[in-house]
Amino acid sequence: MRERLPDRLRTALELPGRAAARLDDYPPALSALAVALAAGVFAVGLVVAAQAGLAMAVTGGSQPVAQTSTVPMDVDASNWQDAPRRTVTLYEQQMALPYGGGSVGEVDVKAMTNDTHVGFRLTYDDPTRDLALDRPGNYSDAAAVMLRTGEQPPITMGASGQPVDIWYWRASWQYANDSAEGAGDMYSYPHPDNETRPGTAAGNPISQATYDDFGQNYYAKGFGSLSDAPTQTVRANGERTEDGWQVVFVRERDTEGQYDATFGTDEPVYLAWAVWNGSADEVNGKKSVSLEFTKLTSDGSQLVAADSGPGDGTPTPTENATTTTGSGDGLLGGDLGSYLVMLVLATGLAWLYSYRKFGGEQ
């Protein structure tokens, strides 16, 4: 068996050459097409393999947590002022279409917990107060926390079999009646809802005009898979500062939602952050995002900063690492169109080159 192995290896290495020689027996256009298809598939395969290898973001450090008697919704409460801070770098979202964002460079995060509740306060610079949705091209300021308890998920809003919990706040929800700022309804004139607001007419919980709770609880299994959680357990409150926004998210530690992050177990909690600046045309996938996870751990009774990484809020050296990938319900689900475009372009370019090569030789 060992003596025959070199012959088999030699045969395998000779196969590409034999295949290339046989192409000479076919018309130039057909030979070029065969080479182009092979090159296109190979190019897309390289991209998929590279993105698969980068889908799992590293953990960029630990989130310090303050133990307190109450977890306040008030952004200016003294409890928040005394809590330790961690600064997280944000980047333009370039993992899936639509690419964009990046107008907010960093966010300061504080975490707080007691026996029953857990909360996060996000502080970031944003020079404009964007609330108005009364005309096309107007977008609201917003912020979100992505969480998963247990195994670290892909940074791409989770994946199939690795769902994430997302807490979302939007300024236009909280300040919908603030007419002084120009907030309003794009379809305020009399018109049937089923024509101008089909989502609202159908009862889609993500398409409501107003919300009693300004924090919404969503689930996702990759880009393009956001869904409303059946039970809304997240509360949020956002207030303007001189330089931007402070947004507080609060939720009970123990909830029964299918994919809700849990805080009362020995498993770690992975956190990521996102911010939208409406005046910078940031909406949906266009956002400023963290490309690393922050980690929380628990001893079953108290949330604590993870052992690895700093506990004083100082970013680690890996804070500036970048990760690019696309994922829907699985690796290709949410961004399949991008791969098809790459395949067509790569095949077309390879065909032109190969046709000229084979055509010139005959």
Side-chain angles (χ1 to χ4, degrees), residues 119-132:
F120 303 96
R121 192 187 76 174
L122 281 60
T123 303
Y124 58 93
D125 291 345
D126 181 351
T128 56
R129 187 172 186 255
D130 304 311
L131 313 174

Side-chain angles (χ1 to χ4, degrees), residues 256-269:
E256 297 180 356
Q258 182 179 9
Y259 302 130
D260 285 0
T262 56
F263 300 92
T265 69
D266 294 334
E267 295 183 298
V269 180

Side-chain angles (χ1 to χ4, degrees), residues 195-241:
E195 296 182 14
T196 58
R197 289 186 293 222
T200 302
N204 187 336
I206 303 180
S207 303
Q208 301 308 303
T210 60
Y211 291 83
D212 296 329
D213 297 318
F214 309 132
Q216 293 293 300
N217 191 32
Y218 297 140
Y219 298 146
K221 297 180 181 180
F223 288 129
S225 65
L226 190 71
S227 62
D228 190 66
T231 303
Q232 292 298 318
T233 56
V234 178
R235 294 180 296 154
N237 175 45
E239 300 288 346
R240 282 294 292 180
T241 65

